[in-house]
Amino acid sequence: MAPNEANRRRVTILGSTGSIGTNTLDVIEQLGGRDAFEVVAVTGSANIELLARQAKAVGAGLAVTADERRYDELKSALSGTGIAVGAGRSALLEAATAPSDWVMAAIVGTAGLAPTLAAAERGADIALANKECLVTAGNLFVEAVAAGGGRLIPVDSEHSAVFQTLEADQRHAVERIVLTASGGPFRTWSREQMAGVTAAAAGAHPNWSMGLKISIGSASMFNKALEMIEAKHLFDVRPDQIEVVVHPQSVIHSMVGYSDGSVLAQLGCPDMRTAIGYALSYPRRPALNVERLDFAKLSRLDFEAPDEERFPALRLARTALKRGGLQGAVMNAAEEVAFQAFVGARIGFLQMADVAEVVMDAMVDWGAASSMADVFAVDEEARRRADEVIAKIEMAA
Ligand code: NAD
Ligand code: MG
């Protein structure tokens, strides 16, 4: 037994094989690795080889793939290691509920909601990369974390920046939250130019290296739309207090404006490990080996107003915020389905927003959720309707 084994922090990484997941393991390694952390569970889906490699490297207690059909493959990759193996939804829940102090929620999409919720309910601190938890379940998710007794620490770079600059004693003086957006690869493009782009072009982000869903969401600004709703629930502000500004360099990660005219910002190189490390070490800042900002090299920071005509996702987020209730869940579900259809070349880039808008308008009467069951029901219905809209678009093409 290592000398400090009993004092190790127990951590779980949901979505360890993704962009956030691999960065999280890098941060854990930087902050002491196996001497400082006991990795209780890691989870992935398609990349079994990476999942097995990660589980062995950190000496995880449990490795789970979301894909039931890959159980045997994972089992044989980890045979003889003593690492427990699971597959499918119930195994994911098992990974989330296995006792640990801190959980990185880095599964992509609504698939992350049930496991993250399970971790929140048992009182773990939740490092939240999966913004979909807040976009879909909103207050219910915030309340579940509070009831469990753990802390909710944002990992999304914008929300980490706001969390860091939101002074605890000055909540009364907060006027606005300013979320920065890079503008993505099509920041200066016309709608005509965007109409024909491929998923490969849309997935190439100018500043950040991320998973495909969020990269394409940056190109369409659907990611920023989700982040507006995420901000509302995380920071308990009114929709009209949430601003978006396009800032192509992604150096200012977001800002809080106060009633004395002051604006506090958090800056850094675009590297998710800073936000991940902050969430892991909170409330103490860790020492991280990440690139430092060189202001002389930087020389300028640019800002521009977002264009809701070219990027209708922002307008849809405003609509969802104004309508409230389950509209965030509807927007998110419709957009996830539309994203898959775009990646499969079934619909065009601009049609993702069209699909989301049609489904949102059709489900405006669904009101607010009184339980998680309502959230899952509206998610399912919005997906069904999005499929119908996409089928119509395909027929017309
Ligand atoms: P990714 O696609 O790189 O990784 C996703 C992870 O989820 C992988 O481990 C994958 O195996 C797992 N997964 C995929 N489908 C699953 C399913 N159906 N069930 C269970 N697990 C599944 O994604 P990412 O870029 O790391 O993003 C993860 C989350 O973090 C997203 O919610 C994203 O919006 C958010 N986020 C990411 C970044 C970033 O820099 N990548 C920044 C801010 C927020
Ligand atoms: Mg972000």
Side-chain angles (χ1 to χ4, degrees):
M1 198 193 232
N4 53 352
E5 190 142 310
N7 301 326
R8 293 189 304 170
R9 187 124 180 263
R10 297 171 306 167
V11 300
T12 301
I13 302 140
L14 303 173
S16 64
T17 56
S19 165
I20 292 288
T22 49
N23 275 309
T24 303
L25 288 173
D26 180 278
V27 168
I28 285 175
E29 192 53 39
Q30 285 197 35
L31 299 182
R34 287 169 81 153
D35 288 338
F37 298 95
E38 175 190 344
V39 177
V40 170
V42 288
T43 81
S45 53
N47 195 342
I48 301 298
E49 196 269 324
L50 177 60
L51 180 61
R53 191 148 37 88
Q54 290 179 331
K56 284 192 251 185
V58 298
L62 170 67
V64 169
T65 167
D67 187 346
E68 243 154 8
R69 297 161 304 181
R70 313 293 293 276
Y71 176 81
D72 289 341
E73 209 179 317
L74 184 60
K75 182 84 188 159
S76 76
L78 290 174
S79 76
T81 60
I83 299 169
V85 170
R89 288 161 72 108
S90 61
L92 268 184
L93 289 178
E94 202 186 306
T97 45
S100 67
D101 309 309
W102 184 90
V103 175
M104 168 53 76
I107 292 173
V108 62
T110 312
L113 178 56
T116 307
L117 193 67
E121 284 168 347
R122 71 170 167 81
D125 285 344
I126 305 293
L128 192 72
N130 180 284
K131 60 197 81 180
E132 293 87 350
C133 284
L134 286 169
V135 174
T136 59
N139 293 344
L140 289 178
F141 182 78
V142 175
E143 286 160 17
V145 179
R151 293 178 294 197
L152 182 57
I153 313 160
V155 171
D156 214 347
S157 58
E158 296 77 2
H159 305 73
S160 176
V162 171
F163 190 75
Q164 293 179 49
T165 49
L166 202 53
E167 297 177 294
D169 301 338
Q170 308 291 349
R171 292 300 298 248
H172 66 281
V174 171
E175 268 182 359
R176 58 183 173 148
I177 283 173
V178 185
L179 301 176
T180 52
S182 69
F186 309 142
R187 179 174 60 87
T188 59
W189 290 32
S190 68
R191 281 182 65 79
E192 290 68 32
Q193 285 173 302
M194 284 188 264
V197 300
T198 62
H205 197 277
N207 306 336
W208 298 90
S209 156
M210 311 179 288
L212 186 64
K213 171 72 166 58
I214 186 170
S215 296
I216 290 180
S218 300
S220 64
M221 294 195 77
F222 252 109
N223 181 51
K224 207 54 53 183
L226 299 180
E227 290 181 355
M228 290 163 72
I229 301 176
E230 179 185 16
K232 181 195 180 303
H233 296 297
L234 266 177
F235 306 119
D236 193 23
V237 288
R238 295 186 315 271
D240 63 282
Q241 291 176 292
I242 301 168
E243 266 177 44
V244 173
V245 66
V246 175
H247 164 44
Q249 291 89 357
S250 300
V251 164
I252 296 183
H253 296 151
S254 279
M255 309 177 254
V256 178
Y258 290 94
S259 56
D260 61 351
S262 295
V263 177
L264 301 194
Q266 186 260 349
L267 287 71
C269 291
D271 185 331
M272 286 309 295
R273 291 175 301 178
T274 298
I276 293 167
Y278 188 84
L280 182 59
S281 302
Y282 178 78
R284 288 168 62 86
R285 281 182 196 276
L288 289 178
N289 180 19
V290 295
E291 195 185 337
R292 304 303 196 245
L293 269 184
D294 180 336
F295 285 95
K297 257 199 212 146
L298 202 60
S299 79
R300 57 186 276 183
L301 296 175
D302 295 302
F303 303 95
E304 56 198 55
D307 183 341
E308 297 190 3
E309 293 293 317
R310 287 186 302 126
F311 298 100
L314 299 173
R315 177 172 54 75
L316 296 182
R318 290 262 169 241
T319 302
L321 284 167
K322 196 164 73 196
R323 290 177 180 167
L326 282 157
Q327 280 275 300
V330 172
M331 184 182 88
N332 177 71
E335 196 265 332
E336 279 190 19
V337 173
F339 159 77
Q340 291 296 349
F342 170 62
V343 171
R346 297 171 56 202
I347 61 171
F349 181 76
L350 297 176
Q351 287 168 323
M352 287 191 285
D354 297 343
V355 172
E357 183 158 24
V358 170
V359 178
M360 285 169 70
D361 287 348
M363 293 182 71
V364 74
D365 298 333
W366 276 59
S370 51
S371 71
M372 289 306 298
D374 293 345
V375 177
F376 289 113
V378 83
D379 178 77
E380 205 177 303
E381 176 65 10
R383 281 168 201 275
R384 195 187 62 73
R385 291 185 189 231
D387 278 331
E388 278 176 11
V389 179
I390 290 163
K392 271 191 205 143
I393 294 175
E394 284 186 302
M395 298 247 288

